[in-house]
Amino acid sequence: MLDIRNLAGNTAVSRGEPWGDREVVLEFAATVFRFHGLSGAQASRIEKRYGRVVSETVANAEAVHTQVCKAPLPVHSDPLRYSTNNLYTPLTLHDSAGLEVEGFGFQARIDLTPDFHGLLWGEDEALLARSIVFENYLRTAAAYAALRREGLFLHSAGVVVNDKAWLFLGRSGAGKSTLSRLALQEGAAVLSDDANILLPDVRGCYRAGPVPFAGELGDVNRDARQDYPVAGLFWLEQSDRPACLSMPPAVQWARVMACCPVVNVDPHRGGALLSVLEKLLRQLPMRVLRFRKDQTFIAIVKSIEEG
Amino acid sequence: MHKQDTLRLHPDILFRAVPPEGVLVDQRIPSVMVINESGLRMMELIRDKGSRQAVIDALMEEYDAPAEVIRADVDAFLDDLRNRDMLS
């Protein structure tokens, strides 16, 4: 299916020539991502884009290492090779040890066992550091890093109410950004209107932190490294009759799973994902939140608390 | 008549009981389906028994319904799974 070069196994990180000797360390959602082999120009671009989560001080924390290399890419004539339903979609090939990804201007190998490490390569120095490559890779790495720690990378809006995170999931257009905007207007903190990472703390209780991938509202969170205990999960539906309602358990599973990009199509990690869902939804059953766009955020909070 | 008696879920299909219902995940599409209580019981039996006849026998012991009704329900459910390429 994919003609991604065969780079399976630990030899992956030793293949290819680095672009330079610069390293960039990003830290968010209690995870450290180290990128090695960058040129000065690549490092500068990445540091500028992800400035809020660039870390200078992390030395010995467990990290996800990625080697960035230069290597020629195969030439493809199909203009829709990376298109699914008219959306840009890198090709992914999963195996028991990890996955291979191929997209516009890059290929990547992520090994998940025994250690989590990656190899990202391409033939265009500038393109590799641009969002279309780097952020796609980082999103994939973040999703697997979260799952590895029994957490989730969740398409959701995250709003902080009384120092606790409420996560709002929903179909495209359901109102995640609208609700986030309402929350911001009324002074609440928003983690992200697009995606958040949930990780269990030492007691197994889930906490939510933002990711540095801007949604419709841009970078809205005040502290990219601050996480909060999750107090509720809500499935958003717009309705003329605001309400907060319970949801059948199996529907909760289906909805949350659909909001776990990247890992929810990996047959080798499907069991692990289901186990996380089981743990999360036992702790935090998801409810349906019906809201009107002209409601105030305070009124929405009230409907949740009364529900 | 279903000649193929052995039943096994396709490896890309994940199934999990979430009582009183169940979840079927097709990772090839991807899609997630919710199945009702009857579907959940049939999926558990398919997983545990692995044969059409064993599923029918188990349901006949559990439900006070005519054999032909149970057989028809099981075959309809299996047809649905096969149409979705969920059995290997």
Side-chain angles (χ1 to χ4, degrees), chain B residues 35-59:
Chain B
I35 51 176
N36 64 18
E37 195 170 354
S38 305
L40 167 62
R41 186 64 191 131
M42 280 197 252
M43 285 304 304
E44 288 173 331
L45 290 169
I46 290 168
R47 179 191 61 197
D48 298 342
K49 306 286 186 183
S51 89
R52 170 181 170 271
Q53 192 55 52
V55 171
I56 292 170
D57 291 346
L59 290 173

PDB file of all heavy atoms in Angstrom, chain B residues 35-59:
ATOM      1  N   ILE B  35     -24.209  -1.012  19.636  1.00  0.00           N
ATOM      2  CA  ILE B  35     -25.145  -2.125  19.435  1.00  0.00           C
ATOM      3  C   ILE B  35     -26.001  -2.280  20.690  1.00  0.00           C
ATOM      4  O   ILE B  35     -25.552  -2.009  21.804  1.00  0.00           O
ATOM      5  CB  ILE B  35     -24.409  -3.451  19.117  1.00  0.00           C
ATOM      6  CG1 ILE B  35     -23.311  -3.749  20.135  1.00  0.00           C
ATOM      7  CG2 ILE B  35     -23.827  -3.395  17.715  1.00  0.00           C
ATOM      8  CD1 ILE B  35     -22.636  -5.093  19.918  1.00  0.00           C
ATOM      9  N   ASN B  36     -27.239  -2.694  20.470  1.00  0.00           N
ATOM     10  CA  ASN B  36     -28.169  -2.778  21.600  1.00  0.00           C
ATOM     11  C   ASN B  36     -27.895  -4.024  22.455  1.00  0.00           C
ATOM     12  O   ASN B  36     -26.953  -4.787  22.203  1.00  0.00           O
ATOM     13  CB  ASN B  36     -29.617  -2.718  21.115  1.00  0.00           C
ATOM     14  CG  ASN B  36     -29.968  -3.925  20.252  1.00  0.00           C
ATOM     15  OD1 ASN B  36     -29.281  -4.947  20.264  1.00  0.00           O
ATOM     16  ND2 ASN B  36     -31.038  -3.786  19.483  1.00  0.00           N
ATOM     17  N   GLU B  37     -28.740  -4.214  23.441  1.00  0.00           N
ATOM     18  CA  GLU B  37     -28.516  -5.283  24.413  1.00  0.00           C
ATOM     19  C   GLU B  37     -28.490  -6.660  23.735  1.00  0.00           C
ATOM     20  O   GLU B  37     -27.656  -7.512  24.060  1.00  0.00           O
ATOM     21  CB  GLU B  37     -29.631  -5.226  25.465  1.00  0.00           C
ATOM     22  CG  GLU B  37     -29.345  -6.029  26.698  1.00  0.00           C
ATOM     23  CD  GLU B  37     -30.352  -5.744  27.806  1.00  0.00           C
ATOM     24  OE1 GLU B  37     -31.201  -4.843  27.643  1.00  0.00           O
ATOM     25  OE2 GLU B  37     -30.286  -6.444  28.835  1.00  0.00           O
ATOM     26  N   SER B  38     -29.401  -6.872  22.774  1.00  0.00           N
ATOM     27  CA  SER B  38     -29.427  -8.163  22.067  1.00  0.00           C
ATOM     28  C   SER B  38     -28.161  -8.341  21.235  1.00  0.00           C
ATOM     29  O   SER B  38     -27.559  -9.425  21.212  1.00  0.00           O
ATOM     30  CB  SER B  38     -30.649  -8.236  21.145  1.00  0.00           C
ATOM     31  OG  SER B  38     -31.825  -7.995  21.865  1.00  0.00           O
ATOM     32  N   GLY B  39     -27.768  -7.270  20.559  1.00  0.00           N
ATOM     33  CA  GLY B  39     -26.552  -7.331  19.759  1.00  0.00           C
ATOM     34  C   GLY B  39     -25.331  -7.583  20.626  1.00  0.00           C
ATOM     35  O   GLY B  39     -24.426  -8.326  20.246  1.00  0.00           O
ATOM     36  N   LEU B  40     -25.330  -6.942  21.803  1.00  0.00           N
ATOM     37  CA  LEU B  40     -24.220  -7.153  22.735  1.00  0.00           C
ATOM     38  C   LEU B  40     -24.108  -8.626  23.108  1.00  0.00           C
ATOM     39  O   LEU B  40     -23.016  -9.209  23.076  1.00  0.00           O
ATOM     40  CB  LEU B  40     -24.433  -6.307  23.999  1.00  0.00           C
ATOM     41  CG  LEU B  40     -23.542  -6.634  25.193  1.00  0.00           C
ATOM     42  CD1 LEU B  40     -22.070  -6.411  24.847  1.00  0.00           C
ATOM     43  CD2 LEU B  40     -23.932  -5.771  26.397  1.00  0.00           C
ATOM     44  N   ARG B  41     -25.247  -9.247  23.423  1.00  0.00           N
ATOM     45  CA  ARG B  41     -25.211 -10.661  23.835  1.00  0.00           C
ATOM     46  C   ARG B  41     -24.726 -11.547  22.679  1.00  0.00           C
ATOM     47  O   ARG B  41     -23.941 -12.471  22.883  1.00  0.00           O
ATOM     48  CB  ARG B  41     -26.610 -11.111  24.299  1.00  0.00           C
ATOM     49  CG  ARG B  41     -26.613 -12.512  24.874  1.00  0.00           C
ATOM     50  CD  ARG B  41     -25.763 -12.593  26.142  1.00  0.00           C
ATOM     51  NE  ARG B  41     -25.531 -13.979  26.572  1.00  0.00           N
ATOM     52  CZ  ARG B  41     -24.336 -14.474  26.886  1.00  0.00           C
ATOM     53  NH1 ARG B  41     -23.258 -13.709  26.840  1.00  0.00           N
ATOM     54  NH2 ARG B  41     -24.206 -15.733  27.263  1.00  0.00           N
ATOM     55  N   MET B  42     -25.193 -11.218  21.474  1.00  0.00           N
ATOM     56  CA  MET B  42     -24.744 -12.032  20.333  1.00  0.00           C
ATOM     57  C   MET B  42     -23.243 -11.862  20.084  1.00  0.00           C
ATOM     58  O   MET B  42     -22.549 -12.819  19.788  1.00  0.00           O
ATOM     59  CB  MET B  42     -25.557 -11.677  19.079  1.00  0.00           C
ATOM     60  CG  MET B  42     -26.918 -12.362  19.076  1.00  0.00           C
ATOM     61  SD  MET B  42     -27.677 -12.367  17.459  1.00  0.00           S
ATOM     62  CE  MET B  42     -28.983 -11.176  17.721  1.00  0.00           C
ATOM     63  N   MET B  43     -22.757 -10.631  20.242  1.00  0.00           N
ATOM     64  CA  MET B  43     -21.319 -10.411  20.040  1.00  0.00           C
ATOM     65  C   MET B  43     -20.502 -11.157  21.088  1.00  0.00           C
ATOM     66  O   MET B  43     -19.449 -11.717  20.780  1.00  0.00           O
ATOM     67  CB  MET B  43     -21.007  -8.914  20.115  1.00  0.00           C
ATOM     68  CG  MET B  43     -21.420  -8.101  18.901  1.00  0.00           C
ATOM     69  SD  MET B  43     -20.729  -8.700  17.354  1.00  0.00           S
ATOM     70  CE  MET B  43     -18.988  -8.667  17.717  1.00  0.00           C
ATOM     71  N   GLU B  44     -20.996 -11.151  22.327  1.00  0.00           N
ATOM     72  CA  GLU B  44     -20.272 -11.887  23.372  1.00  0.00           C
ATOM     73  C   GLU B  44     -20.225 -13.374  23.042  1.00  0.00           C
ATOM     74  O   GLU B  44     -19.200 -14.039  23.231  1.00  0.00           O
ATOM     75  CB  GLU B  44     -20.958 -11.659  24.727  1.00  0.00           C
ATOM     76  CG  GLU B  44     -20.751 -10.256  25.269  1.00  0.00           C
ATOM     77  CD  GLU B  44     -21.578  -9.987  26.527  1.00  0.00           C
ATOM     78  OE1 GLU B  44     -22.662 -10.601  26.680  1.00  0.00           O
ATOM     79  OE2 GLU B  44     -21.147  -9.147  27.321  1.00  0.00           O
ATOM     80  N   LEU B  45     -21.337 -13.894  22.533  1.00  0.00           N
ATOM     81  CA  LEU B  45     -21.379 -15.322  22.210  1.00  0.00           C
ATOM     82  C   LEU B  45     -20.516 -15.642  20.983  1.00  0.00           C
ATOM     83  O   LEU B  45     -19.861 -16.685  20.937  1.00  0.00           O
ATOM     84  CB  LEU B  45     -22.832 -15.765  21.988  1.00  0.00           C
ATOM     85  CG  LEU B  45     -23.688 -15.795  23.262  1.00  0.00           C
ATOM     86  CD1 LEU B  45     -25.161 -15.974  22.923  1.00  0.00           C
ATOM     87  CD2 LEU B  45     -23.222 -16.907  24.203  1.00  0.00           C
ATOM     88  N   ILE B  46     -20.521 -14.744  20.006  1.00  0.00           N
ATOM     89  CA  ILE B  46     -19.651 -14.956  18.838  1.00  0.00           C
ATOM     90  C   ILE B  46     -18.196 -15.016  19.292  1.00  0.00           C
ATOM     91  O   ILE B  46     -17.421 -15.875  18.882  1.00  0.00           O
ATOM     92  CB  ILE B  46     -19.858 -13.822  17.807  1.00  0.00           C
ATOM     93  CG1 ILE B  46     -21.240 -13.951  17.160  1.00  0.00           C
ATOM     94  CG2 ILE B  46     -18.750 -13.830  16.754  1.00  0.00           C
ATOM     95  CD1 ILE B  46     -21.657 -12.732  16.341  1.00  0.00           C
ATOM     96  N   ARG B  47     -17.843 -14.091  20.172  1.00  0.00           N
ATOM     97  CA  ARG B  47     -16.462 -14.042  20.677  1.00  0.00           C
ATOM     98  C   ARG B  47     -16.131 -15.289  21.502  1.00  0.00           C
ATOM     99  O   ARG B  47     -15.071 -15.899  21.340  1.00  0.00           O
ATOM    100  CB  ARG B  47     -16.283 -12.785  21.531  1.00  0.00           C
ATOM    101  CG  ARG B  47     -14.895 -12.612  22.145  1.00  0.00           C
ATOM    102  CD  ARG B  47     -14.912 -11.509  23.179  1.00  0.00           C
ATOM    103  NE  ARG B  47     -15.836 -11.811  24.278  1.00  0.00           N
ATOM    104  CZ  ARG B  47     -16.294 -10.914  25.152  1.00  0.00           C
ATOM    105  NH1 ARG B  47     -15.912  -9.655  25.056  1.00  0.00           N
ATOM    106  NH2 ARG B  47     -17.118 -11.280  26.119  1.00  0.00           N
ATOM    107  N   ASP B  48     -17.063 -15.685  22.368  1.00  0.00           N
ATOM    108  CA  ASP B  48     -16.764 -16.782  23.304  1.00  0.00           C
ATOM    109  C   ASP B  48     -16.970 -18.161  22.696  1.00  0.00           C
ATOM    110  O   ASP B  48     -16.251 -19.105  23.020  1.00  0.00           O
ATOM    111  CB  ASP B  48     -17.648 -16.648  24.554  1.00  0.00           C
ATOM    112  CG  ASP B  48     -17.369 -15.353  25.307  1.00  0.00           C
ATOM    113  OD1 ASP B  48     -16.293 -14.758  25.064  1.00  0.00           O
ATOM    114  OD2 ASP B  48     -18.221 -14.936  26.099  1.00  0.00           O
ATOM    115  N   LYS B  49     -17.970 -18.302  21.829  1.00  0.00           N
ATOM    116  CA  LYS B  49     -18.307 -19.628  21.283  1.00  0.00           C
ATOM    117  C   LYS B  49     -17.662 -19.878  19.924  1.00  0.00           C
ATOM    118  O   LYS B  49     -17.290 -21.012  19.622  1.00  0.00           O
ATOM    119  CB  LYS B  49     -19.827 -19.782  21.155  1.00  0.00           C
ATOM    120  CG  LYS B  49     -20.608 -19.502  22.440  1.00  0.00           C
ATOM    121  CD  LYS B  49     -20.440 -20.625  23.429  1.00  0.00           C
ATOM    122  CE  LYS B  49     -21.344 -20.411  24.649  1.00  0.00           C
ATOM    123  NZ  LYS B  49     -21.137 -21.461  25.677  1.00  0.00           N
ATOM    124  N   GLY B  50     -17.631 -18.844  19.094  1.00  0.00           N
ATOM    125  CA  GLY B  50     -16.944 -18.974  17.811  1.00  0.00           C
ATOM    126  C   GLY B  50     -17.657 -19.782  16.757  1.00  0.00           C
ATOM    127  O   GLY B  50     -17.056 -20.102  15.731  1.00  0.00           O
ATOM    128  N   SER B  51     -18.922 -20.128  16.991  1.00  0.00           N
ATOM    129  CA  SER B  51     -19.652 -20.819  15.924  1.00  0.00           C
ATOM    130  C   SER B  51     -21.125 -20.418  15.953  1.00  0.00           C
ATOM    131  O   SER B  51     -21.688 -20.130  17.012  1.00  0.00           O
ATOM    132  CB  SER B  51     -19.518 -22.338  16.037  1.00  0.00           C
ATOM    133  OG  SER B  51     -20.532 -22.884  16.852  1.00  0.00           O
ATOM    134  N   ARG B  52     -21.719 -20.416  14.751  1.00  0.00           N
ATOM    135  CA  ARG B  52     -23.117 -20.010  14.624  1.00  0.00           C
ATOM    136  C   ARG B  52     -24.015 -20.911  15.443  1.00  0.00           C
ATOM    137  O   ARG B  52     -24.905 -20.449  16.163  1.00  0.00           O
ATOM    138  CB  ARG B  52     -23.503 -20.046  13.148  1.00  0.00           C
ATOM    139  CG  ARG B  52     -24.990 -19.883  12.874  1.00  0.00           C
ATOM    140  CD  ARG B  52     -25.267 -19.952  11.375  1.00  0.00           C
ATOM    141  NE  ARG B  52     -26.700 -20.042  11.126  1.00  0.00           N
ATOM    142  CZ  ARG B  52     -27.380 -21.180  11.065  1.00  0.00           C
ATOM    143  NH1 ARG B  52     -26.754 -22.347  11.223  1.00  0.00           N
ATOM    144  NH2 ARG B  52     -28.671 -21.175  10.837  1.00  0.00           N
ATOM    145  N   GLN B  53     -23.802 -22.210  15.328  1.00  0.00           N
ATOM    146  CA  GLN B  53     -24.680 -23.140  16.028  1.00  0.00           C
ATOM    147  C   GLN B  53     -24.560 -22.979  17.544  1.00  0.00           C
ATOM    148  O   GLN B  53     -25.561 -23.041  18.270  1.00  0.00           O
ATOM    149  CB  GLN B  53     -24.357 -24.581  15.627  1.00  0.00           C
ATOM    150  CG  GLN B  53     -25.407 -25.587  16.081  1.00  0.00           C
ATOM    151  CD  GLN B  53     -26.817 -25.232  15.590  1.00  0.00           C
ATOM    152  OE1 GLN B  53     -27.032 -25.012  14.391  1.00  0.00           O
ATOM    153  NE2 GLN B  53     -27.778 -25.129  16.518  1.00  0.00           N
ATOM    154  N   ALA B  54     -23.350 -22.763  18.017  1.00  0.00           N
ATOM    155  CA  ALA B  54     -23.167 -22.591  19.463  1.00  0.00           C
ATOM    156  C   ALA B  54     -23.851 -21.322  19.954  1.00  0.00           C
ATOM    157  O   ALA B  54     -24.395 -21.285  21.070  1.00  0.00           O
ATOM    158  CB  ALA B  54     -21.673 -22.547  19.798  1.00  0.00           C
ATOM    159  N   VAL B  55     -23.825 -20.281  19.120  1.00  0.00           N
ATOM    160  CA  VAL B  55     -24.512 -19.038  19.488  1.00  0.00           C
ATOM    161  C   VAL B  55     -26.012 -19.295  19.585  1.00  0.00           C
ATOM    162  O   VAL B  55     -26.679 -18.893  20.551  1.00  0.00           O
ATOM    163  CB  VAL B  55     -24.209 -17.927  18.447  1.00  0.00           C
ATOM    164  CG1 VAL B  55     -25.097 -16.704  18.689  1.00  0.00           C
ATOM    165  CG2 VAL B  55     -22.740 -17.530  18.500  1.00  0.00           C
ATOM    166  N   ILE B  56     -26.554 -19.979  18.582  1.00  0.00           N
ATOM    167  CA  ILE B  56     -27.999 -20.283  18.583  1.00  0.00           C
ATOM    168  C   ILE B  56     -28.359 -21.146  19.788  1.00  0.00           C
ATOM    169  O   ILE B  56     -29.352 -20.879  20.495  1.00  0.00           O
ATOM    170  CB  ILE B  56     -28.386 -20.978  17.256  1.00  0.00           C
ATOM    171  CG1 ILE B  56     -28.252 -19.987  16.090  1.00  0.00           C
ATOM    172  CG2 ILE B  56     -29.808 -21.541  17.328  1.00  0.00           C
ATOM    173  CD1 ILE B  56     -28.371 -20.630  14.719  1.00  0.00           C
ATOM    174  N   ASP B  57     -27.565 -22.159  20.060  1.00  0.00           N
ATOM    175  CA  ASP B  57     -27.860 -23.054  21.200  1.00  0.00           C
ATOM    176  C   ASP B  57     -27.870 -22.273  22.513  1.00  0.00           C
ATOM    177  O   ASP B  57     -28.750 -22.475  23.371  1.00  0.00           O
ATOM    178  CB  ASP B  57     -26.811 -24.174  21.270  1.00  0.00           C
ATOM    179  CG  ASP B  57     -26.945 -25.153  20.107  1.00  0.00           C
ATOM    180  OD1 ASP B  57     -27.990 -25.125  19.421  1.00  0.00           O
ATOM    181  OD2 ASP B  57     -25.990 -25.918  19.871  1.00  0.00           O
ATOM    182  N   ALA B  58     -26.890 -21.395  22.675  1.00  0.00           N
ATOM    183  CA  ALA B  58     -26.809 -20.630  23.921  1.00  0.00           C
ATOM    184  C   ALA B  58     -28.010 -19.701  24.077  1.00  0.00           C
ATOM    185  O   ALA B  58     -28.590 -19.597  25.172  1.00  0.00           O
ATOM    186  CB  ALA B  58     -25.507 -19.816  23.940  1.00  0.00           C
ATOM    187  N   LEU B  59     -28.403 -19.065  22.993  1.00  0.00           N
ATOM    188  CA  LEU B  59     -29.546 -18.146  23.067  1.00  0.00           C
ATOM    189  C   LEU B  59     -30.854 -18.897  23.324  1.00  0.00           C
ATOM    190  O   LEU B  59     -31.746 -18.379  24.003  1.00  0.00           O
ATOM    191  CB  LEU B  59     -29.645 -17.320  21.773  1.00  0.00           C
ATOM    192  CG  LEU B  59     -28.534 -16.271  21.590  1.00  0.00           C
ATOM    193  CD1 LEU B  59     -28.626 -15.624  20.208  1.00  0.00           C
ATOM    194  CD2 LEU B  59     -28.619 -15.188  22.667  1.00  0.00           C
TER     195      LEU B  59
END
